[in-house]
Amino acid sequence: MSTCNVESCVIQAPAARTWEALRRQDFAFWSLVKSVEFSTSPCEVGGIRTTVFADGTVQKHRLLALSETDRSLTYELIDSEPAAPSLSAQHTLQVFSVTADNSSFVQWSSDFSSDRSTEVVEDAKFKKIDALAELAKSLAKH
């Protein structure tokens, strides 16, 4: 059994611009991310992304799916130093167009393995909320 956590927000930027910021997978908008390196092209399914976080945590993620049509990407955690508090985690980001005002609806979901704790799910929730707010702020500047 796994646990799913979903957070979302409306961003006052066109869906195409919001998607472009997310599909790069560099998370440049997020203050918790110090640097990102790719083993291949960022959009190559199967490629590995190494993310160094501000607290020194280093994680490797594999891109499992990327759809330009659906404006979505899915990645999984494959390594973490220090070790992640959950055996496995799979994350999906998706951008929808809000046609009424040309804004974006962004949804970020995570599926955790059954060994996760409540604290892991809560931590993911608050990190997603903060990251989405920072994404919205970064897109509002342009």
Side-chain angles (χ1 to χ4, degrees), residues 39-79:
S39 66
T40 61
S41 162
C43 296
E44 184 176 322
V45 173
I48 308 297
R49 176 182 82 236
T50 301
T51 305
V52 178
F53 292 90
D55 70 357
T57 298
V58 178
Q59 292 187 338
K60 291 187 180 188
H61 297 94
R62 180 184 0 259
L63 183 63
L64 299 176
L66 185 136
S67 172
E68 295 291 342
T69 307
D70 295 333
R71 291 188 183 118
S72 69
L73 61 90
T74 300
Y75 60 94
E76 68 179 341
L77 176 65
I78 59 170
D79 190 32

Side-chain angles (χ1 to χ4, degrees), residues 14-113:
R17 202 163 100 225
T18 302
W19 172 238
E20 184 57 34
L22 291 174
R23 75 185 290 277
R24 289 191 306 255
Q25 300 174 72
D26 62 7
F27 296 88
F29 57 86
W30 196 6
S31 62
L32 290 185
V33 173
K34 184 176 177 183
S35 66
V36 174
E37 274 187 36
F38 297 92
S39 66
T40 61
S41 162
C43 296
E44 184 176 322
V45 173
I48 308 297
R49 176 182 82 236
T50 301
T51 305
V52 178
F53 292 90
D55 70 357
T57 298
V58 178
Q59 292 187 338
K60 291 187 180 188
H61 297 94
R62 180 184 0 259
L63 183 63
L64 299 176
L66 185 136
S67 172
E68 295 291 342
T69 307
D70 295 333
R71 291 188 183 118
S72 69
L73 61 90
T74 300
Y75 60 94
E76 68 179 341
L77 176 65
I78 59 170
D79 190 32
S80 181
E81 185 58 46
S86 166
L87 185 60
S88 67
Q90 206 173 80
H91 311 276
T92 300
L93 283 155
Q94 188 163 14
V95 179
F96 300 91
S97 181
V98 179
T99 59
D101 63 358
N102 198 28
S103 62
S104 308
F105 177 80
V106 179
Q107 181 174 289
W108 192 347
S109 63
S110 299
D111 287 309
F112 298 97
S113 57

